Amino acid sequence: MTDAHDTAADSSLRTTGGAPPDDGGSSVTEAPTPLLEPREGIPPVIADEAALAEAVAAFAAGSGPVAVDAERASGYRYGQRAYLVQLRREGAGTALIDPVACPDLSSLGEALSGVEWVLHAATQDLPCLREIGMVPSRLFDTELAGRLAGFPRVGLGAMVENVLGFVLEKGHSAVDWSTRPLPEPWLRYAALDVELLVDLRDALEKELDRQGKLDWARQEFDAIASAPPPEPRKDPWRRTSGMHKVRRRRQMAVVRELWETRDRIARRRDVSPGKVLSDAAIVEAALALPANLHAMAALNGFGQRVGRRQLEQWQAAVDRAKALSEAQLPQPGQPVTGPPPPRAWADKDPVAAARLSAARAGVAELAERLNMPPENLITPDTVRRVCWEPPGPDERSVAAALTAHGARAWQVDQVTPVLVAALATSSPPA
């Protein structure tokens, strides 16, 4: 281990421009140190079962938490699968695993069962890790820890720099990780992403403990680890960028047909849907309702490099939408399962609008006192639901409502008095 890594391992909280306000840790202000190479060098990429078995044995025999990261090919490939998995653990070093060559990493997941996994922005990586058989039973999320501790910048690079005093390379985060073979600079970047993740975890744990928030963080981490996979999104075509311009149901049907056609092509070709046809082009076609190939080719996104065969498939999608009966057309909005948009509250229920205004102000004030983002103190959706259909005005009823909406125990303890006060102050006179 180099002197620089000794410094990281033993570092208390630094304040190089991004530490929490009212920091009680040390005030180390020297210039951060560039982190240029993994301490044991760039490990070879594991791409066969024999090498994977050796890694599984090494990580099972390691000690302490394991740093885990995954690289995807967002914007290049269809879906969110992992194209590289990085791990680091004391006693095992760093491993870079190719999940294309080794698509089943359940043996590694089982070897690390019960071990605390350290991830940055865990909810981004957990779905693709789950697909290859890696599911943690315990985790520590360094991004979420940074939010709870009050750091204004919680990206991995900012956290490593501000807490540990090292600068990570930032140049390869958005590259096409499905590329094979992966270039050496990319592999160096990937290995460095887990190089200091456990060191960061240790420093943040100390800071959370100092602030009296460590138990809160553990409740949050447990909630992430135990959360079931998200349900498939209903009518995903409705999230097409620019959809707000589409008003008529026939035009919505065109968006749906074009989106679903694009999705089938993208899935078959394993490319990002945006590389097949842009959202802007879908919306333009929906608004124009082109009558033929000539009209289609005149639209932005459909001319020049789009061949006749492609134009025919897009025109066929438009024609299918035109041929639908009125009963087959999509409805102008998704069924509302919760409160209406807050902007409509003043007209629909002025008293509820007053409750929401008071609750938002109270939550914002409490979040500022606790030095964390309001959305980490309690989700805005939970506040809206409690204010739209308020429980009894007593603390027990409000606490029960918060729990029913998924709030953790620490959130219930902190937010209940605020919401009780908001509901009381905004109640109509007797």
Side-chain angles (χ1 to χ4, degrees), residues 64-149:
V66 58
V68 182
D69 191 22
E71 305 295 347
R72 299 177 297 281
S74 303
Y76 297 94
R77 294 289 183 174
Y78 185 87
Q80 294 295 315
R81 68 173 295 186
Y83 283 94
L84 188 70
V85 175
Q86 309 101 281
L87 303 98
R88 182 172 182 83
R89 193 181 189 195
E90 184 70 28
T94 296
L96 303 178
I97 304 176
D98 180 357
V100 178
C102 300
D104 182 3
L105 299 187
S106 56
S107 59
L108 180 59
E110 292 166 4
L112 296 172
S113 177
V115 175
E116 181 186 85
W117 296 21
V118 184
L119 298 99
H120 192 82
T123 54
Q124 294 182 20
D125 286 341
L126 288 178
C128 69
L129 291 171
R130 184 181 288 111
E131 287 181 357
I132 53 178
M134 296 185 64
V135 182
S137 56
R138 298 168 51 212
L139 64 82
F140 189 107
D141 186 333
T142 49
E143 185 202 47
L144 181 52
R147 291 181 182 278
L148 295 176

Side-chain angles (χ1 to χ4, degrees), residues 96-361:
L96 303 178
I97 304 176
D98 180 357
V100 178
C102 300
D104 182 3
L105 299 187
S106 56
S107 59
L108 180 59
E110 292 166 4
L112 296 172
S113 177
V115 175
E116 181 186 85
W117 296 21
V118 184
L119 298 99
H120 192 82
T123 54
Q124 294 182 20
D125 286 341
L126 288 178
C128 69
L129 291 171
R130 184 181 288 111
E131 287 181 357
I132 53 178
M134 296 185 64
V135 182
S137 56
R138 298 168 51 212
L139 64 82
F140 189 107
D141 186 333
T142 49
E143 185 202 47
L144 181 52
R147 291 181 182 278
L148 295 176
F151 284 83
R153 298 167 59 223
V154 294
L156 180 60
M159 293 295 291
V160 167
E161 180 176 340
N162 295 328
V163 176
L164 300 177
F166 289 91
V167 178
L168 292 176
E169 184 182 354
K170 302 175 183 177
H172 304 301
S173 60
V175 298
D176 181 2
W177 287 95
S178 69
T179 301
R180 293 296 183 272
L182 286 164
E184 182 176 293
W186 299 12
L187 297 175
R188 179 182 295 107
Y189 164 91
L192 289 174
D193 263 4
V194 293
E195 181 79 2
L196 295 177
L197 206 50
V198 173
D199 299 301
L200 179 60
R201 171 236 180 269
D202 292 344
L204 289 172
E205 182 180 60
K206 291 178 181 177
E207 177 62 13
L208 288 167
D209 189 39
R210 184 188 72 81
Q211 295 186 25
K213 299 175 181 175
L214 183 55
D215 182 61
W216 300 359
R218 287 172 175 157
Q219 290 181 41
E220 293 298 302
F221 302 155
D222 288 346
I224 295 173
S226 62
E231 293 288 332
R233 191 181 299 278
K234 181 178 174 59
D235 292 345
W237 59 269
R238 292 184 184 271
R239 293 179 62 84
T240 302
S241 180
M243 189 70 191
H244 63 281
K245 302 175 186 176
V246 181
R247 303 291 187 184
R248 292 158 49 194
R249 293 174 63 201
R250 185 73 58 185
Q251 294 172 331
M252 292 179 186
V254 172
V255 172
R256 182 176 64 187
E257 289 292 335
L258 286 172
W259 190 98
E260 291 177 350
T261 300
R262 179 184 70 174
D263 192 67
R264 287 193 297 270
I265 296 169
R267 183 188 296 269
R268 185 179 72 245
R269 291 169 48 189
D270 189 20
V271 296
S272 169
K275 290 187 174 297
V276 176
L277 186 68
S278 70
D279 281 9
I282 289 177
V283 170
E284 178 138 349
L287 296 177
L289 294 174
N292 50 47
L293 289 183
H294 180 73
M296 174 73 77
L299 300 176
N300 289 332
F302 292 95
Q304 298 180 344
R305 292 176 294 176
V306 178
R308 182 177 180 86
R309 184 177 177 183
Q310 291 174 299
L311 280 176
E312 288 174 347
Q313 68 187 1
W314 302 130
Q315 185 64 48
V318 172
D319 291 343
R320 285 195 300 272
K322 287 182 176 181
L324 295 175
S325 68
E326 285 293 319
Q328 293 173 311
L329 297 178
Q331 295 301 316
Q334 293 175 296
V336 176
T337 57
R343 62 180 179 274
W345 285 33
D347 292 331
K348 290 180 177 292
D349 189 338
V351 175
R355 285 195 295 264
L356 181 61
S357 179
R360 283 174 162 175

